[in-house]
Amino acid sequence: MTHLIEIETKGPGLYEFTDQLMPFVTGHGTLTVFVRHTSCSLLIQENADPDVRTDLHEFFQRLVPSLDDPSMSYLTHRYEGPDDMPAHIKASLLPVSLTIPVISGRIALGTWQGVYLFEHRQRSHRRQVAVMMSQA
Amino acid sequence: MTHLIEIETKGPGLYEFTDQLMPFVTGHGTLTVFVRHTSCSLLIQENADPDVRTDLHEFFQRLVPSLDDPSMSYLTHRYEGPDDMPAHIKASLLPVSLTIPVISGRIALGTWQGVYLFEHRQRSHRRQVAVMMSQA
Amino acid sequence: MTHLIEIETKGPGLYEFTDQLMPFVTGHGTLTVFVRHTSCSLLIQENADPDVRTDLHEFFQRLVPSLDDPSMSYLTHRYEGPDDMPAHIKASLLPVSLTIPVISGRIALGTWQGVYLFEHRQRSHRRQVAVMMSQA
C-alpha cells in the first residue's frame, strides 16, 4: 500500500477525504495525515451542514484577503499571483499535520468530524497527502 | 485503561487537564491527544499567570465575535445559536490534535506549559478527549 | 542521541532548522517535533523566496500587535513587556507540535517545505525543541 493520497482541487474551499483514510486504519495506535504543500491545509470540521464549510471559507477570505485588497499592500511576495501569499498565510493558520488515535481498530473521530483538504489557491491543483498508521 | 478523558465545561474559556494525561505517560515515544468535537479545541499554553488564559479568550472573542456582531452578518450557519458558527471557526484556528514526545518516561512539556481544553460554546458541555501513548 | 535541539533566536521571525532534524530520520514511521515554550511556535512553510517569511512575520504582527497598540488595551497580562502577551496569542495560533511521516527512510516533506522555529519575542532566546522518531 502506498502512503500517498492525491486530491484534485478546483478552487478554494474544503474537500472531504475521510473515506480515503479508512484503508489505512488498522490495529491500535495513531494515524498521521500530512499535507506536502504550503498553500493548502488540512482541517477536521463538521461534516453535517455544508453551510459550515462555506462560512469557514468566507471567514478566512476576510481574515486574509487577496493582494488586490488595499489592506494587504504591505505584502512583498507578489509575483505568483494575488492569491499566493494569502494562501501561504492561511496555510500557517491552519493545520499541516493531524494525528488521530486509532483505538482497537476504530478511528477516534467524533460523530460530526470529517477530514478535509482546505484549498487556498484559485486555480486547479493535484494535492498530495502523506498518511502513516503507527502501532502503539 | 480506557483511552478517553471526559472534561466538563461551563462556558467558554480554558480548562487545564495536564494531570489527567499523566497516567498515560510511560516508556519512550509520543503521547497523542485528540479532541472529538468541532466547537472546542486543545491548546498548550502558559500555566502560571491566569491572566494569560483570560486574555487568550478575549483575543479570540474579538477575532471571531458572536453572530450578534454586525461584522459577522455574512455567515449563513445560524440555527444552532449565535455562538455556534464562531465556535467552528475558532476550532479551525486552534489545535484539534497535539503530539508530545515522551523521553525515557518523562513527558517533554516545558516548565510553563499546561495542556488545556479551550471551550468555545456558551452552554455546558461534556467533552471527550482521546489519548494514545505510542512507543517509539 | 539526545532528543533535544537548541535554537538561538535574535528577535522575531522564522529560523529554519530542517537540516537539524535529518539525523533523527530513520526507518519507517513518524517524526514528531515539539517546541517547549509558549511564546514561540513551529511552522512548516515555503523554503524558497525569503519574502514569504518576511510577509508571514508582518501579517502576524498586524493580526496581533504589541501592547503599545491602542487596539490591544483590553489585555491584562502586561508585566513581562509589550511583546509577551501578543507572543502567547501567536503561539496559540501557530503549531506547537508537528508530526511528519517518514516513508522507508525518507521524510515526507514536500519539495518547497522547510521546518522553522517562529520566534515571537523581541529579545534573544535559546529555544528547545524535542524530537522523537517513532517506528510504524
Side-chain angles (χ1 to χ4, degrees), chain A residues 102-123:
Chain A
V102 171
I103 304 171
S104 305
R106 295 194 57 180
I107 195 165
L109 286 171
T111 311
W112 309 109
Q113 288 182 312
V115 184
Y116 295 87
L117 186 130
F118 198 161
E119 178 59 70
H120 307 310
R121 298 299 309 267
Q122 290 291 335
R123 65 159 201 264

Side-chain angles (χ1 to χ4, degrees), chain C residues 18-65:
Chain C
T18 318
D19 288 352
Q20 288 175 262
L21 295 174
M22 292 310 145
F24 295 90
V25 173
T26 174
H28 190 70
T30 55
L31 186 76
T32 292
V33 190
F34 178 83
V35 67
R36 305 184 70 215
H37 308 276
T38 62
S39 58
C40 64
S41 302
L42 300 176
L43 190 61
I44 290 180
Q45 259 300 329
E46 183 181 304
N47 55 13
D49 183 356
D51 285 349
V52 171
R53 273 106 76 189
T54 310
D55 285 354
L56 283 170
H57 168 64
E58 291 293 330
F59 172 83
F60 282 96
Q61 199 54 36
R62 282 164 173 78
L63 185 65
V64 194

Side-chain angles (χ1 to χ4, degrees), chain B residues 14-134:
Chain B
L14 286 94
Y15 297 80
E16 185 165 14
F17 67 102
T18 317
D19 288 351
Q20 289 174 261
L21 295 174
M22 292 309 146
F24 296 91
V25 173
T26 175
H28 190 71
T30 56
L31 186 76
T32 292
V33 190
F34 178 82
V35 68
R36 305 184 68 216
H37 309 276
T38 62
S39 58
C40 64
S41 302
L42 300 176
L43 189 61
I44 291 180
Q45 258 300 329
E46 183 181 304
N47 56 11
D49 183 356
D51 285 350
V52 171
R53 274 105 75 190
T54 310
D55 285 354
L56 283 170
H57 168 64
E58 291 293 330
F59 173 83
F60 282 97
Q61 200 54 35
R62 282 164 172 77
L63 185 64
V64 194
S66 159
L67 295 184
D68 300 331
D69 191 288
S71 71
M72 304 305 268
S73 62
Y74 66 92
L75 294 174
T76 61
H77 177 80
R78 309 185 81 89
Y79 65 91
E80 292 187 69
D83 63 328
D84 184 64
M85 191 59 223
H88 290 307
I89 296 172
K90 289 170 194 160
S92 301
L93 285 165
L94 292 157
V96 66
S97 73
L98 299 167
T99 302
I100 310 167
V102 171
I103 304 171
S104 305
R106 297 195 56 181
I107 194 164
L109 286 170
T111 311
W112 308 109
Q113 287 181 312
V115 184
Y116 294 86
L117 186 129
F118 197 161
E119 178 60 71
H120 307 311
R121 297 300 309 268
Q122 290 291 334
R123 66 159 199 266
S124 296
H125 281 84
R126 186 183 291 265
R127 300 302 201 173
Q128 286 192 330
V129 174
V131 185
M132 181 61 67
M133 178 70 216
S134 297

